[in-house]
Amino acid sequence: MDCFRGRRLSAALIAGCLAAVVLGYVVLHLAPAAQAGDQGPVALFSFAGLIRRGEKGDRVRYLQEALRACGYEVSLDGVFGPMTEGAVKKFQRENGLYADGIVGPQTIRELSKLYYRANPPDKHTVRSGETLSTIAGRYGVSVETLAKINKLADPDMVYVGQVLMISTPQEPPAQEPPAPPTDLPPKPPPFPIPDRRVCLTFDDGPDLNTTRPILAILRQYGVKATFFLVGERVLRHPELAREIAQEGHVIGVHGFEHKSLSGLSAAEVRRDLKEARDAITQVTGVSPYLYRPPFGQLDQTQVAEASKLGMRVTMWTNIGGADLGAASAEDVTARTVSAATDGGILMLHEGLQYTVEALPSLIEALARLGYGFLNPSK
């Protein structure tokens, strides 16, 4: 080099020439020129000069944006003042650099690594003078990682304009299974071996507020029941009807609109029962074979038309049901238990909160009396 010509050179001159050589190498090899359109910290990371206190402009603002993105408190005013200098010194100390507050190539390189770890880019276009090693260093990843992501047989062979993936697509976080309900009763205590049987039945569903809690309680106690569903409500809440069927409960017909069919013509009764049956079958895949008349109002026309559609009438043995007009959950339990008989059919209703609240104690009280619960499908 020209600066080394001559016999007598001062130490300062030699040091200056060496610094120029090092800086030139950094500019050519370690910090490729910014591409057109680079903005923000990305433009800063391609800069190979020095930034120090007193400077102003976009480059200082890019520095401030990078520092803030990495968790350092600094104003975004484009002025390299005391606050920015303090943030730079703190960054340098925490990353093993000489804390002089001056931003040079080494500080920029370490800042870029931290920035890209916090804000990983998807891609990088290879520029003149870059190698896989310098690209890996820029983004704070290993050469092996870049080679693996991009399926490079020879890590030394990259070319200008080549687009490299920097990070792999993130898999969506696995969804945790929903937490089990917290309002279920405790695991039931051991009960006597049942020597009598009752059948639990529920009318008027499916109901948006009570069907799922009822199903959860029945599941907790291992009890199967019969649900007499209203066709129109099945079409309104098909997911609830399907859940009833999937839990293994028997489904019966309770009319299409829950209106009294007593006194109607055979054609009118047949149309209502068929619409209800078809709605249940369409939604659940189950063909119901039981029919319970709305309000318990039954006549021979309904019996005959239900039979023609393959359904038999099923009433109940606890007169009027146990939960209609009940004053409390305790009242529901007392009424139901007092009406229980061997082979009895106990009627309850969806849509009543007292029924949900009473169900655990009702099941336990019947079990203590030696009642088992008949699976109606058998």
Side-chain angles (χ1 to χ4, degrees):
M1 292 181 60
D2 290 343
C3 62
F4 285 113
R5 290 177 182 173
R7 295 181 179 179
R8 294 184 179 180
L9 299 174
S10 68
L13 181 59
I14 294 174
C17 290
L18 289 174
V21 171
V22 171
L23 184 59
Y25 178 82
V26 168
V27 170
L28 291 175
H29 298 284
L30 297 183
Q35 290 183 340
D38 276 350
Q39 295 292 325
V42 175
L44 169 72
F45 300 149
S46 299
F47 177 64
L50 300 176
I51 312 173
R52 64 183 74 211
R53 184 169 177 173
E55 292 194 33
K56 301 178 181 179
D58 288 343
R59 189 173 294 135
V60 175
R61 182 178 175 84
Y62 298 158
L63 169 65
Q64 292 168 336
E65 290 177 3
L67 287 167
R68 178 175 285 190
C70 293
Y72 294 88
E73 186 175 350
V74 64
S75 298
L76 302 180
D77 55 8
V79 177
F80 199 132
M83 188 176 189
T84 300
E85 185 181 47
V88 170
K89 287 182 178 180
K90 183 178 180 182
F91 169 80
Q92 290 171 328
R93 284 194 301 270
E94 292 178 351
N95 289 273
L97 303 174
Y98 179 63
D100 58 2
I102 299 173
V103 179
Q106 193 172 8
T107 297
I108 289 175
R109 191 179 310 117
E110 294 304 316
L111 183 58
S112 71
K113 291 179 183 178
L114 184 60
Y115 176 85
Y116 285 126
R117 277 197 293 269
N119 305 273
D122 294 327
K123 300 175 182 178
H124 174 84
T125 302
V126 179
R127 305 169 183 178
S128 177
E130 287 185 322
T131 66
L132 200 63
S133 178
T134 60
I135 296 169
R138 175 176 184 174
Y139 295 113
V141 298
S142 67
V143 172
E144 293 76 13
T145 298
L146 282 185
K148 182 178 180 181
I149 292 174
N150 293 279
K151 300 179 181 179
L152 300 178
D154 185 354
D156 294 327
M157 294 296 293
V158 292
Y159 54 87
V160 175
Q162 182 178 4
V163 178
L164 299 176
M165 299 296 296
I166 302 302
S167 59
T168 55
Q170 296 294 313
E171 293 290 335
Q175 293 187 348
E176 295 185 3
T182 58
D183 55 350
L184 290 180
K187 186 176 181 179
F191 296 116
I193 297 175
D195 56 3
R196 295 179 287 180
R197 297 287 188 274
V198 290
C199 179
L200 285 181
T201 68
F202 296 88
D203 287 5
D204 297 354
D207 177 74
L208 196 58
N209 296 316
T210 59
T211 296
R212 285 197 175 106
I214 289 172
L215 289 175
I217 294 169
L218 294 175
R219 187 186 319 119
Q220 177 80 7
Y221 285 90
V223 173
K224 299 300 181 186
T226 300
F227 288 78
F228 288 95
L229 304 183
V230 178
E232 181 270 333
R233 296 173 189 173
V234 168
L235 296 179
R236 195 189 315 161
H237 304 298
E239 70 287 351
L240 297 178
R242 280 192 288 268
E243 289 179 30
I244 293 171
Q246 290 165 359
E247 293 278 350
H249 302 289
V250 171
I251 295 178
V253 168
H254 198 43
F256 185 76
E257 295 179 342
H258 199 265
K259 66 181 181 181
S260 175
L261 303 183
S262 182
L264 298 183
S265 68
E268 291 173 316
V269 171
R270 186 184 313 115
R271 181 170 57 251
D272 186 280
L273 297 185
K274 187 176 184 302
E275 286 181 354
R277 184 198 64 180
D278 291 349
I280 291 171
T281 302
Q282 173 189 333
V283 168
T284 68
V286 172
S287 182
Y289 59 89
L290 300 177
Y291 167 63
R292 175 173 286 171
F295 309 107
Q297 297 176 0
L298 181 67
D299 58 18
Q300 286 302 314
T301 302
Q302 294 177 68
V303 175
E305 294 304 321
S307 179
K308 291 176 184 178
L309 293 173
M311 296 184 289
R312 68 173 185 265
V313 174
T314 303
M315 301 299 280
W316 56 90
T317 56
N318 55 331
I319 303 301
D323 48 4
L324 291 178
S328 64
E330 292 75 13
D331 193 16
V332 174
T333 299
R335 290 185 182 192
T336 305
V337 173
S338 65
T341 58
D342 190 16
I345 300 175
L346 304 177
M347 179 182 68
L348 298 165
H349 293 82
E350 296 188 62
L352 299 178
Q353 189 57 38
Y354 283 156
T355 301
V356 177
E357 295 172 4
L359 195 53
S361 60
L362 183 157
I363 292 173
E364 292 187 12
L366 289 170
R368 282 193 294 269
L369 293 173
Y371 284 100
F373 297 91
L374 182 66
N375 185 341
S377 64
K378 298 179 181 178

